[in-house]
């Protein structure tokens, strides 16, 4: 399975065009899958640093690429705070206690998915928020809800689309049959994106100097606490 995962990661990177964010993901996946094959421990932070080294060695100017900065900042934020946030939320909701039976274990899957998605979203936002505010002059307030409603669908669409593409090459009627539920899932994604973009405060504009000062103040508070 590790060899197959490495193979598909390389193939998908070629299909996606080897953008900095895709290359970062591919390098991390390859290293994490090579670890058990070479009897080594997995370390996400080392994989992230090695991916950045490879990209900068190939093209030092890629450091100015917005996609590279956002991709690495998001993953670094998740590695720094994601597990702590997930542990805190799980403890607050008492999801970290031992399940009493199989029904209790099944009942906790939905809350655990919500907690995991929320922790990842907040963790990724820790370091990407200043970059988004600087480059796009806005700050998304609805992104946690958007990820909860759409993140699961993206995975099904990606895997289902790949499977439908292979089936279309082997047996077109089967691919057309599989495309029916995928098309409804795609319609749901379009509806969710349209619905989530309608609220007035879905995104907060950073055009005002006061808003930028507010964001800077929020990030200076924990830095001041550490230094003091």
């Amino acid at each position: 399975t590790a060899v197959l995962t490495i193979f598909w990661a390389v193939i998908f990177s070629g299909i996606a065009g080897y953008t900095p964010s895709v290359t970062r993901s591919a390098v991390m996946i390859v290293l994490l899958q090579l670890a058990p094959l070479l009897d080594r421990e997995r370390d996400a932070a080392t994989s992230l640093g090695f991916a950045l080294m490879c990209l900068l060695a190939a093209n030092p100017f890629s450091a100015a690429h917005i996609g590279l900065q956002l991709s690495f900042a998001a993953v670094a934020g998740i590695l720094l705070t994601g597990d702590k946030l997930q542990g805190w939320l799980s403890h607050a909701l008492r999801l970290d206690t031992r399940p009493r039976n199989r029904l209790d274990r099944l009942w906790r899957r939905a809350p655990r998915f919500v907690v995991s998605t929320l922790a990842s979203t907040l963790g990724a936002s820790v370091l990407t928020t200043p970059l988004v505010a600087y480059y796009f002059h806005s700050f998304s307030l609805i992104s946690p809800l958007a990820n909860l409603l759409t993140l699961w669908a993206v995975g099904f669409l990606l895997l289902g689309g790949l499977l439908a593409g292979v089936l279309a090459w082997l047996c077109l009627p089967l691919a057309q049959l599989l495309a029916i539920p995928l098309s409804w899932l795609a319609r749901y994604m379009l509806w969710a994106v349209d619905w989530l973009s309608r609220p007035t405060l879905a995104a907060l504009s950073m055009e005002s100097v006061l808003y930028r000062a507010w964001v800077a103040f929020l990030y200076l508070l924990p830095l001041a606490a550490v230094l003091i």
Side-chain angles (χ1 to χ4, degrees):
T1 56
V3 173
L4 288 176
T5 302
I6 292 173
F7 172 76
W8 282 113
V10 174
I11 294 297
F12 177 78
S13 299
I15 296 173
Y18 289 109
T19 61
S21 58
V22 172
T23 304
R24 188 269 311 158
S25 300
V27 172
M28 292 187 67
I29 289 173
V30 169
L31 289 181
L32 291 176
Q33 296 303 319
L34 281 176
L37 293 177
L38 301 177
D39 196 22
R40 294 291 187 272
E41 293 183 1
R42 297 182 177 184
D43 186 70
T46 300
S47 301
L48 182 65
F50 183 77
L52 181 60
M53 184 183 70
C54 292
L55 285 168
L56 295 182
N59 180 15
F61 294 100
S62 63
H65 194 281
I66 300 176
L68 182 145
Q69 296 176 16
L70 290 175
S71 178
F72 279 88
V75 176
I78 293 174
L79 294 179
L80 288 173
T81 63
D83 289 341
K84 295 179 181 179
L85 286 172
Q86 184 171 346
W88 181 81
L89 290 173
S90 298
H91 181 72
L93 298 175
R94 297 188 177 183
L95 298 176
D96 54 352
T97 58
R98 186 175 181 179
R100 295 185 295 271
N101 47 50
R102 184 176 298 180
L103 181 61
D104 187 26
R105 187 182 298 109
L106 293 175
W107 181 257
R108 296 185 186 193
R109 286 188 176 181
R112 283 178 176 172
F113 170 79
V114 173
V115 167
S116 177
T117 304
L118 186 60
S120 299
T121 302
L122 295 177
S125 301
V126 168
L127 298 181
T128 57
T129 297
L131 294 173
V132 172
Y134 176 76
Y135 286 117
F136 303 105
H137 307 293
S138 65
F139 171 60
S140 176
L141 299 176
I142 207 169
S143 57
L145 177 61
N147 283 342
L148 287 174
L149 294 179
T150 61
L151 193 61
W152 62 272
V154 172
F156 281 112
L157 278 174
L158 176 61
L159 296 177
L162 290 173
L163 181 58
V166 174
L167 284 177
W169 182 51
L170 300 174
C171 181
L172 185 58
L174 285 178
Q176 292 174 333
L177 185 63
L178 178 61
I180 295 175
L182 291 177
S183 64
W184 284 105
L185 197 57
R187 290 188 182 95
Y188 164 76
M189 285 286 296
L190 294 174
W191 170 82
V193 171
D194 179 65
W195 179 74
L196 290 167
S197 64
R198 292 183 180 181
T200 305
L201 293 178
L204 185 65
S205 174
M206 290 286 114
E207 295 291 345
S208 173
V209 178
L210 296 177
Y211 286 153
R212 296 182 188 180
W214 171 69
V215 172
F217 176 72
L218 289 180
Y219 277 82
L220 287 175
L221 279 179
L223 179 61
V226 171
L227 295 177
I228 296 175

